Amino acid sequence: MERLGREMLDDVLFYGVLGVIGGGRLGYVLFYKPLEYLDHPLDILKVWEGGMSFHGGFLGVILAMALFARRHKLRWLAVTDFIAPLVPLGWPPGGSAISSTANCGGAPPILPWGNGVFRRRPTASRAILRSCINSR
């Protein structure tokens, strides 16, 4: 792929952020609480109440990169090849955000063979450290 100019780098970052936030929110709405938001559609805009989905964010970025590639007349696979090595840079802040809202611990196990490690909620600093170590 040709070298991206500064303006194109700004654009790809902008598209990526919109894809993560928009797709993450819509994914949460569609995957987890579709009936609730069908009754109250304006609540979709209440992002301060929480509710994001990794799956939706992933799909949102895929769509955003397709739109970016089309706008700049680039091959979509070339754009995704460019951004793929940058993805691990988003894991520490994402892990910190998830951990600080106590969403990553899961439910305590109820079966006898369940792993008790997940009973504790990791702190944000431990989540950041774990994300940095795992991204290498």
Side-chain angles (χ1 to χ4, degrees), residues 63-134:
L63 177 64
M65 292 304 110
L67 294 173
F68 172 81
R70 184 174 183 193
R71 178 175 179 229
H72 291 282
K73 295 179 177 57
L74 300 169
R75 291 183 324 122
W76 178 73
L77 288 176
V79 173
T80 56
D81 282 348
F82 174 76
I83 67 162
L86 305 174
V87 171
L89 296 175
W91 289 341
S96 173
I98 290 171
S99 180
S100 66
T101 59
N103 285 329
C104 64
I110 57 173
L111 298 173
W113 57 81
N115 186 349
V117 172
F118 293 107
R119 292 174 197 255
R120 295 178 291 147
R121 305 264 187 216
T123 63
S125 59
R126 282 186 15 216
I128 292 171
L129 181 61
R130 185 175 57 235
S131 295
C132 289
I133 291 171
N134 289 338

Side-chain angles (χ1 to χ4, degrees), residues 20-29 37 43-44 46-47 50-52:
V20 166
I21 294 172
R25 182 63 179 167
L26 288 176
Y28 177 79
V29 168
Y37 287 106
D43 287 352
I44 294 172
K46 295 181 181 178
V47 294
M52 295 284 280

Side-chain angles (χ1 to χ4, degrees), residues 7-72:
E7 185 177 313
M8 287 177 78
L9 288 174
D10 289 344
D11 279 356
V12 80
L13 180 63
F14 179 72
Y15 276 70
V17 169
L18 284 182
V20 166
I21 294 172
R25 182 63 179 167
L26 288 176
Y28 177 79
V29 168
L30 294 173
F31 298 144
Y32 296 107
K33 297 183 178 183
L35 298 178
E36 183 177 320
Y37 287 106
L38 195 58
D39 291 339
H40 307 286
L42 289 179
D43 287 352
I44 294 172
L45 301 175
K46 295 181 181 178
V47 294
W48 55 90
E49 291 181 1
M52 295 284 280
S53 161
F54 167 80
H55 311 89
F58 177 75
L59 294 174
V61 169
I62 296 294
L63 177 64
M65 292 304 110
L67 294 173
F68 172 81
R70 184 174 183 193
R71 178 175 179 229
H72 291 282

